[in-house]
């Protein structure tokens, strides 16, 4: 989450234990959109969490920034 700037959730879709959250954010000058897909157990615990990001340039910027930050920790 610390990688994103101007992170904002826009819409929420729910069907039973499945939820989709639409978001937008920036990484530097690169703008991106994405969806968090979350599945909850009947007890309310997260059992699956998947993130999709577009466009490809946004995904590449996310990967590059995460790699840069992880390299600094080694």
């Amino acid at each position: 989450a610390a990688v994103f700037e101007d992170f904002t959730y826009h819409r929420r879709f729910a069907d039973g234990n499945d939820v989709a959250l639409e978001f937008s954010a920036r990484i530097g000058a690169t703008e991106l959109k994405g969806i968090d897909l979350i599945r909850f157990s009947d007890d309310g615990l997260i059992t699956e969490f998947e993130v999709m990001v577009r466009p490809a340039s946004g995904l590449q910027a996310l990967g590059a920034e995460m790699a840069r930050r992880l390299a600094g920790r080694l």
Side-chain angles (χ1 to χ4, degrees):
V3 172
F4 296 120
E5 301 168 59
D6 300 328
F7 185 93
T8 304
Y9 278 115
H10 300 283
R11 293 188 288 173
R12 175 181 170 228
F13 305 93
D15 181 23
N17 290 353
D18 297 314
V19 176
L21 304 171
E22 178 190 37
F23 66 87
S24 64
R26 273 187 318 103
I27 299 174
T30 304
E31 294 183 6
L32 58 91
K33 286 189 156 196
I35 295 180
D36 293 333
L37 298 174
I38 308 166
R39 176 166 288 156
F40 293 90
S41 69
D42 290 335
D43 297 328
L45 301 175
I46 294 174
T47 59
E48 294 178 37
F49 192 98
E50 184 175 356
V51 179
M52 293 187 227
V53 174
R54 68 176 212 50
S57 59
L59 181 59
Q60 291 168 338
L62 175 60
E65 182 61 19
M66 300 241 341
R68 185 187 73 76
R69 289 177 184 226
L70 289 172
R73 293 184 182 191
L74 300 176

